[in-house]
Amino acid sequence: LDSRPQMFNERAKRLWQPMLAMTLRDQFVIGKVAERYRERLSKKQMLELMRATHISGVDQHAVVTYNGFDDLMHYYAEMSAMGDIPLEKNPSSPGRIANVSIPLCILNALDDPLITWKAVAANEGLRHPTNLVKTGSGNLMLLLTKGGGHVGWPLGVNPSIEKWGWMNGAVQGFVAAFEAGKKKV
């Protein structure tokens, strides 16, 4: 919902982002879009992109520069559903997340090692889950779990058997409840 807190997720920058940054760099430097980037970025900018060691660095030197954003914070604010809400503790406006016009279920594990939980919620203020779901016309549902990892919630001792049944069931339940509600109206 908001990529800005991810800029400060030092653990992710240190543990997993170098691998993903390398893959992304390869796409921008030698992959399918490489020629477009070479045409629009200076040699110095391409060198900075090649030296990026985390996602924020790749975003800064590739996406921000290529697309004309003012800076990384501007890009993350524009690309995020809650990016127009100030990061202060008590913002005055719920921003564009309040304008969600169709039911939206956000499913996130608080122990996600890749994306900080702060990208979805906060402990207080408008970003607190209780307050966030009250914004707009009530189309936002947050389902935050203590555990589950990243795109996870595997079941059982041997997850290859049960796979991701819990996550799939939660999403199917949300859709079924929405459909049932539509029939009653």
Side-chain angles (χ1 to χ4, degrees):
L1 293 179
D2 193 348
S3 294
R4 295 172 298 172
Q6 196 63 19
M7 290 173 40
F8 311 108
N9 189 351
E10 296 303 322
R11 181 173 184 255
K13 283 182 182 179
R14 195 176 63 252
L15 295 177
W16 68 269
Q17 286 192 16
M19 293 176 285
L20 185 55
M22 183 175 60
T23 302
L24 288 171
R25 278 193 329 254
D26 288 350
Q27 287 299 309
F28 291 126
V29 177
I30 59 175
K32 293 178 183 179
V33 297
E35 190 60 36
R36 285 187 246 159
Y37 274 81
R38 281 193 208 101
E39 289 172 4
R40 300 230 346 233
L41 300 181
S42 69
K43 286 184 179 183
K44 181 182 179 208
Q45 290 168 327
M46 285 298 290
L47 183 60
E48 288 171 341
L49 171 58
M50 288 188 284
R51 289 179 176 163
T53 59
H54 49 79
I55 302 306
S56 297
V58 172
D59 285 345
Q60 174 65 48
H61 299 299
V63 181
V64 169
T65 306
Y66 185 85
N67 293 293
F69 287 99
D70 297 337
D71 55 28
L72 193 57
M73 191 66 82
H74 178 222
Y75 167 56
Y76 285 167
E78 289 296 316
M79 70 170 283
S80 301
M82 292 190 332
D84 59 340
I85 302 173
L87 288 173
E88 61 199 41
K89 289 184 180 180
N90 293 308
S92 58
S93 169
R96 61 183 164 249
I97 193 70
N99 297 324
V100 172
S101 60
I102 59 172
L104 174 64
C105 178
I106 307 296
L107 180 58
N108 194 79
L110 297 176
D111 71 343
D112 186 328
L114 305 186
I115 307 296
T116 176
W117 64 271
K118 294 174 184 176
V120 177
N123 287 327
E124 58 190 9
L126 179 62
R127 292 169 174 269
H128 187 279
T130 302
N131 299 328
L132 196 56
V133 297
K134 292 178 184 175
T135 64
S137 56
N139 286 315
L140 180 64
M141 179 180 136
L142 290 175
L143 180 53
L144 305 173
T145 63
K146 183 178 179 180
H150 184 73
V151 190
W153 299 275
L155 296 174
V157 176
N158 185 353
S160 65
I161 296 171
E162 296 288 330
K163 302 194 182 335
W164 293 268
W166 185 87
M167 175 178 62
N168 294 341
V171 172
Q172 289 171 347
F174 176 77
V175 171
F178 171 68
E179 289 297 321
K182 278 182 23 181
K183 291 176 183 174
K184 291 182 180 180
V185 176

